[in-house]
């Protein structure tokens, strides 16, 4: 059940990712898990082993610019949804993943949903955890500030922004041992702050949300929406409306859970997530 840390270079970008190999022979499709702002694949540390234990290969990359993946300057990587989607496509292809279950969370999770809409043949089903999925979604002021001129340049160089954002969003204390992992990229290089700044400034939520809202109205594959009810940034109304608008959606409300459900409530998430991905179509 151990998590293996790997690196792979694709088109001059180095991806860091965590993978849990399935225990025993399996016909289950793999699962790809995508983190949000200001997080990294470490947030899935308690989800990955449980997936592997049921025979599911689980892969969680650090987005380019985040965690321990490459942090190119913005002249070399645009940090727009299109840039992330193209890079993710290269990552999926290099790992030779043809079809998979997708799990997304947070303010980069929306980019994962845009990827799904543009590559529907690859996606068996989708689990959405507290991700912007409505035109009513806005970047929270706590994150908006990091993109402001001058102030943003300073704020994104402060490693403690990780503590304030993750704990503010989840509404619970995170242990110093875990925060050390989240802070490490910011302590290691100023490029981590510059990548975060560029991402916040180029997330294009106003453009992405109509694509997601309209695109999923035609989506036929199953969607599981697991929603932390005390998320200070994304209200449950958008999850309720989204669940009603998609042909094959199920909403599970998570009481006393904030913006980063996997951080403190992995056991609750797994109750529905494990059987959901198990139902994904088997490999052809």
């Amino acid at each position: 059940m151990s998590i293996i840390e790997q690196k792979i270079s694709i088109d001059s970008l180095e991806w860091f990712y965590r993978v849990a190999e399935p225990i025993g022979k399996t016909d289950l499709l793999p699962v790809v898990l995508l983190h949000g702002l200001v997080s990294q694949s470490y947030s899935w540390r308690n989800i990955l082993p449980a997936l592997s234990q049921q025979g599911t290969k689980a892969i969680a990359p650090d987005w380019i610019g985040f965690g321990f993946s490459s942090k190119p300057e913005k002249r070399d990587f645009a940090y727009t949804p299109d840039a992330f989607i193209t890079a993710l496509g290269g990552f999926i292809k290099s790992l030779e993943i043809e079809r998979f279950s997708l799990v997304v969370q947070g303010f980069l999770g929306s980019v994962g949903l845009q990827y799904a809409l543009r590559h529907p043949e690859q996606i068996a089903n989708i689990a959405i955890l507290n991700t912007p999925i409505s035109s009513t979604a806005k970047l929270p002021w706590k994150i908006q500030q990091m993109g402001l001129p001058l102030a943003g340049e300073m704020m994104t160089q402060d490693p403690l922004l990780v503590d304030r954002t993750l704990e503010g969003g989840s509404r619970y204390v995170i242990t110093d041992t875990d925060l050390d992992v989240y802070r490490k990229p910011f302590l290691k290089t100023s490029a981590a702050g510059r990548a975060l700044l560029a991402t916040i400034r180029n997330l294009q939520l106003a453009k992405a949300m109509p694509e997601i809202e309209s695109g999923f109205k035609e989506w036929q594959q199953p969607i599981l929406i697991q929603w932390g009810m005390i998320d200070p940034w994304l209200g449950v109304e958008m999850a309720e409306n989204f669940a009603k608008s998609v042909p094959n959606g199920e909403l599970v409300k998570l009481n006393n859970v904030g913006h980063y459900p996997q951080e403190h409530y992995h056991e609750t998430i797994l109750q529905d997530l494990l059987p959901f991905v198990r139902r994904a179509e088997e490999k052809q």
Side-chain angles (χ1 to χ4, degrees), residues 110-173:
S110 58
V111 178
L113 295 178
Q114 289 175 280
Y115 179 89
L117 288 171
R118 299 180 195 185
H119 301 86
E121 73 287 349
Q122 294 182 351
I123 311 298
N125 57 21
I126 303 175
I128 300 173
L129 284 68
N130 292 70
T131 297
I133 45 177
S134 163
S135 295
T136 61
K138 302 287 186 289
L139 267 180
W141 176 239
K142 188 181 283 282
I143 293 177
Q144 277 187 47
Q145 291 178 84
M146 299 176 202
L148 294 175
L150 300 178
E153 272 86 355
M154 289 187 291
M155 289 183 71
T156 50
Q157 291 302 323
D158 178 6
L160 294 180
L161 73 87
V162 173
D163 307 36
R164 290 193 293 267
T165 309
L166 293 178
E167 292 188 334
S170 65
R171 296 193 165 180
Y172 293 95
V173 172

Side-chain angles (χ1 to χ4, degrees), residues 4-112:
I4 303 164
E5 298 179 355
Q6 303 268 32
K7 288 188 175 182
I8 185 170
S9 292
I10 305 158
D11 298 329
S12 78
L13 297 172
E14 186 174 73
W15 286 82
F16 173 94
Y17 63 101
R18 292 176 163 88
V19 59
E21 294 289 347
I23 294 174
K25 187 177 182 297
T26 181
D27 291 322
L28 296 175
L29 288 171
V31 179
V32 175
L33 304 100
L34 302 176
H35 68 82
L37 293 173
V38 297
S39 192
Q40 51 171 278
S41 61
Y42 184 70
S43 70
W44 302 110
R45 63 194 175 277
N46 295 313
I47 301 287
L48 296 170
L51 287 166
S52 78
Q53 194 171 23
Q54 78 162 14
T56 303
K57 182 174 184 175
I59 304 136
D62 288 350
W63 283 108
I64 295 300
F66 291 82
F68 303 97
S69 289
S70 288
K71 297 167 186 66
E73 297 300 326
K74 59 185 178 184
R75 65 177 175 271
D76 300 315
F77 186 80
Y79 291 97
T80 59
D82 285 347
F84 282 119
I85 288 164
T86 300
L88 180 61
F91 176 77
I92 298 291
K93 184 177 179 182
S94 292
L95 266 60
E96 299 181 344
I97 303 170
E98 294 180 2
R99 193 167 171 81
F100 58 95
S101 295
L102 177 65
V103 181
V104 300
Q105 185 272 322
F107 283 92
L108 273 173
S110 58
V111 178

Side-chain angles (χ1 to χ4, degrees), residues 163-188:
D163 307 36
R164 290 193 293 267
T165 309
L166 293 178
E167 292 188 334
S170 65
R171 296 193 165 180
Y172 293 95
V173 172
I174 298 172
T175 68
D176 277 334
T177 305
D178 293 329
L179 287 172
D180 283 345
V181 180
Y182 288 120
R183 290 186 205 119
K184 194 172 181 180
F186 293 89
L187 293 167
K188 193 175 177 183

Side-chain angles (χ1 to χ4, degrees), residues 209-275:
M209 290 304 102
E211 179 183 354
I212 287 170
E213 283 180 318
S214 61
F216 281 104
K217 285 178 181 174
E218 309 297 324
W219 187 267
Q220 296 302 315
Q221 304 296 356
I223 300 177
L224 173 66
I225 306 150
Q226 297 181 289
W227 208 266
M229 295 289 285
I230 59 168
D231 186 332
W233 303 330
L234 297 172
V236 70
E237 302 80 17
M238 75 171 62
E240 291 170 338
N241 292 333
F242 184 84
K244 291 172 189 170
S245 73
V246 299
N248 198 0
E250 176 191 359
L251 172 61
V252 176
K253 297 177 181 180
L254 308 173
N255 292 323
N256 303 314
V257 181
H259 181 71
Y260 302 94
Q262 70 273 40
E263 200 61 51
H264 296 92
Y265 284 91
H266 63 278
E267 291 172 346
T268 307
I269 292 166
L270 287 165
Q271 288 173 13
D272 292 293
L273 184 63
L274 290 177

